[in-house]
Amino acid sequence: MQNYLIALALSTLPAIGSFLGGCLAEFLPSSTQNLSLALHLAAGIALAVVGVELMPQILQAEPAWLVILAFVMGGGFFVITRQLIKWIQRRVGGHRNSTASWLIFLGVAVDLFSDGLMVGTGSTISFGLGLILALGQIMANIPGGLVTIATFKDQKVSRRKRQIISASFCLPAFLGVTIGYWAVRGQPEILQFSLLAFTAGILTTVVVENMVPEAAEKEKETYLETLFFVGGFALFALISAYFG
């Protein structure tokens, strides 16, 4: 139980990233350039989480084809979730403006759930892996929290309700880490790595299909965004090298 409580505490770190993004949305004026820089930084960190920390762990498993299949299934899961959100948007039709903020929140919640799943699964392999994965998601989740709360702010949702929404970011992360920890605890190593590969697939697809296209739309060809992207990757690589 003590190890689970530690994993639960680690899962608050990704939620803290989203919460910090929400706080920034409350105090900073909306700026497409600032959001673009944040998204590039987050994309660099997220790819580093997969490339530097997750894939070397995942590819140790045998048989390798099974964990690679789990990686592909993770990407497929995100695609299905994204299509479901689009379907809901089409169904709400004329009420889209009033529901858009909740749909964005749903997307962030799915992301936080996968973060919790990743941290919970990583914690069953080693505390160090769980910690480094949780640390990597703090900065990566700031843009999601910023966009979510900024949208609620534009919809004239009261400040008190926005604060409650920011606080609720921890709930999907807690659910994810609980499933990730207890589902694989004491199970064969291949199951642990497969679930880790599944979450890596989700994270990679989020970067390629969401973060990068959205960031590119807001880019102003200053190349500062590119430096933030590379810097984000390098930042996580340094954390992994010295604290992993």
Side-chain angles (χ1 to χ4, degrees):
M1 179 58 72
Q2 183 180 359
N3 290 337
Y4 166 67
L5 293 177
I6 292 173
L8 199 64
L10 291 178
S11 73
T12 62
L13 297 179
I16 286 173
S18 297
F19 180 79
L20 290 175
C23 291
L24 288 174
E26 296 288 357
F27 298 105
L28 293 179
S30 298
S31 168
T32 55
Q33 184 178 20
N34 288 341
L35 183 57
S36 176
L37 293 175
L39 285 168
H40 277 86
L41 180 66
I45 292 173
L47 284 183
V49 168
V50 175
V52 175
E53 198 65 40
L54 288 181
M55 293 309 295
Q57 296 278 345
I58 291 166
L59 294 177
Q60 292 179 16
E62 292 290 344
W65 68 265
L66 186 57
V67 292
I68 294 173
L69 176 62
F71 179 88
V72 174
M73 290 175 64
F77 171 79
F78 174 79
V79 170
I80 292 172
T81 302
R82 187 182 181 188
Q83 291 301 113
L84 178 61
I85 291 174
K86 288 184 177 180
W87 178 80
I88 295 173
Q89 286 179 325
R90 290 194 296 268
R91 294 285 291 180
V92 299
H95 301 287
R96 182 172 178 175
N97 288 337
S98 61
T99 59
S101 51
W102 289 108
L103 291 171
I104 293 172
F105 174 79
L106 176 61
V108 172
V110 170
D111 184 36
L112 284 167
F113 172 79
S114 67
D115 290 344
L117 199 65
M118 182 168 58
V119 171
T121 306
S123 296
T124 64
I125 297 173
S126 73
F127 169 77
L129 179 59
L131 175 61
I132 202 70
L133 293 175
L135 288 173
Q137 292 309 306
I138 296 177
M139 287 295 295
N141 287 346
I142 287 178
L146 191 153
V147 172
T148 301
I149 300 304
T151 306
F152 278 111
K153 192 176 179 180
D154 290 341
Q155 294 293 329
K156 309 301 181 184
V157 174
S158 69
R159 184 181 180 90
R160 179 174 178 80
K161 287 183 179 179
R162 296 198 304 267
Q163 290 173 340
I164 294 173
I165 291 168
S166 291
S168 70
F169 283 135
C170 64
L171 298 179
F174 286 168
L175 178 61
V177 77
T178 300
I179 294 174
Y181 183 86
W182 292 110
V184 300
R185 183 172 179 266
Q187 298 298 320
E189 189 178 71
I190 186 63
L191 181 59
Q192 298 176 351
F193 285 115
S194 293
L195 191 54
L196 208 57
F198 181 82
T199 57
I202 294 175
L203 189 57
T204 303
T205 313
V206 166
V207 172
V208 174
E209 295 296 329
N210 270 38
M211 283 187 181
V212 172
E214 187 176 350
E217 286 181 4
K218 297 172 172 55
E219 220 173 281
K220 292 189 175 181
E221 296 295 335
T222 64
Y223 299 104
L224 184 60
E225 292 87 354
T226 305
L227 294 177
F228 267 66
F229 176 80
V230 176
F233 192 101
L235 175 63
F236 182 83
L238 283 171
I239 293 173
S240 179
Y242 288 98
F243 299 101

